[in-house]
């Protein structure tokens, strides 16, 4: 077990205030595509806000239904992304529609982005991001352009909180499987 993991107590909630700009000036790490967003008690993640190409709002709702169907048929279809959760929101600003993407995951930003581009390539799915103004048309062959778009539209958080900090999605699933196994074992003993 690494020293970092030992020092992080999952049993106590944790909060982290993040400076303006989303990076700690004394701890900026370089990733393959620029500064790496810091790991917080919630994990790694990013939030973007971007303008929807006018008239394409329904595409987002239809795409959400497609993702729902795909996950229902193949629950591990997004596993490579090591997600905790995604939240997508459409909202109006001065008569125009904007999209907000929020994601928390267990890998760093660079790996998440590369895995997402690869996943879309393997599955043949398109990304709903193609309906956002300024999204690069060559995103499938140019992960750096995808990253640049995300960084340009990133809205860094200034506070992140976790009830069970620094715990991966896999660790949570293992704990729940163990709980279920113990429960089943106790039921068998009655």
């Amino acid at each position: 077990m690494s020293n970092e993991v030992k020092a992080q107590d999952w049993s106590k909630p944790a909060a982290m205030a993040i400076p303006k700009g989303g990076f700690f000036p004394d701890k900026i790490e370089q990733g393959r595509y620029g500064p790496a967003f810091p790991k917080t008690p919630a994990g790694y993640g990013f939030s973007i806000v971007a303008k929807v190409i006018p008239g394409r709002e329904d595409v987002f709702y239809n795409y959400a239904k497609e993702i729902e169907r795909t996950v229902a048929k193949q629950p591990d279809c997004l596993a490579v992304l090591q997600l905790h959760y995604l939240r997508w929101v459409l909202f109006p600003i001065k008569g125009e529609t904007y999209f907000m993407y929020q994601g928390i995951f267990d890998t760093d930003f660079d790996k998440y982005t590369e895995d997402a581009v690869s996943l879309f390539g393997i599955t043949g799915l398109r990304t709903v991001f193609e309906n956002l103004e300024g999204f690069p048309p060559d995103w499938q062959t140019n992960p750096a352009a995808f990253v640049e778009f995300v960084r340009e539209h990133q809205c860094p958080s200034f506070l992140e909180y976790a009830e069970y900090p620094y715990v991966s999605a896999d660790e949570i699933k293992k704990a729940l499987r163990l709980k279920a196994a113990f429960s089943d074992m106790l039921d068998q003993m009655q």
Side-chain angles (χ1 to χ4, degrees), residues 49-61 89-100 131-133:
V49 174
K51 186 176 172 186
V52 174
I53 296 170
R56 303 248 183 114
E57 293 81 1
D58 286 345
V59 172
F60 288 81
Y61 292 99
V89 179
L90 291 177
F91 58 95
I93 298 177
K94 297 182 181 179
E96 297 176 317
T97 303
Y98 284 78
F99 170 71
M100 180 178 66
N131 298 283
L132 300 173
E133 288 190 0

Side-chain angles (χ1 to χ4, degrees), residues 46-50 89 91 99-103 109 129 132 135 149-155:
F46 64 91
S47 301
I48 65 168
V49 174
V89 179
F91 58 95
F99 170 71
M100 180 178 66
Y101 168 100
Q102 289 182 303
F109 174 76
F129 286 21
L132 300 173
F135 190 72
F149 177 85
V150 170
R151 287 187 182 276
E152 287 174 1
H153 293 83
Q154 163 76 345
C155 298

Side-chain angles (χ1 to χ4, degrees), residues 161-172:
Y161 168 88
E163 188 69 22
Y164 40 89
Y166 303 103
V167 177
S168 72
D170 281 343
E171 290 170 320
I172 293 167

Side-chain angles (χ1 to χ4, degrees), residues 88-153:
W88 294 0
V89 179
L90 291 177
F91 58 95
I93 298 177
K94 297 182 181 179
E96 297 176 317
T97 303
Y98 284 78
F99 170 71
M100 180 178 66
Y101 168 100
Q102 289 182 303
I104 296 289
F105 38 88
D106 289 326
T107 65
D108 65 46
F109 174 76
D110 291 345
K111 180 160 176 29
Y112 177 86
T113 303
E114 290 168 348
D115 288 344
V117 170
S118 175
L119 178 67
F120 285 115
I122 291 167
T123 63
L125 292 173
R126 307 300 294 184
T127 177
V128 77
F129 286 21
E130 291 177 328
N131 298 283
L132 300 173
E133 288 190 0
F135 190 72
D138 65 344
W139 68 273
Q140 286 186 300
T141 57
N142 187 356
F146 186 100
V147 169
E148 185 178 335
F149 177 85
V150 170
R151 287 187 182 276
E152 287 174 1
H153 293 83

Side-chain angles (χ1 to χ4, degrees), residues 173-187:
K173 290 177 193 176
K174 285 177 188 176
L176 292 173
R177 282 193 298 270
L178 185 60
K179 178 184 176 213
F182 278 133
S183 180
D184 186 46
M185 179 187 70
L186 290 173
D187 287 347

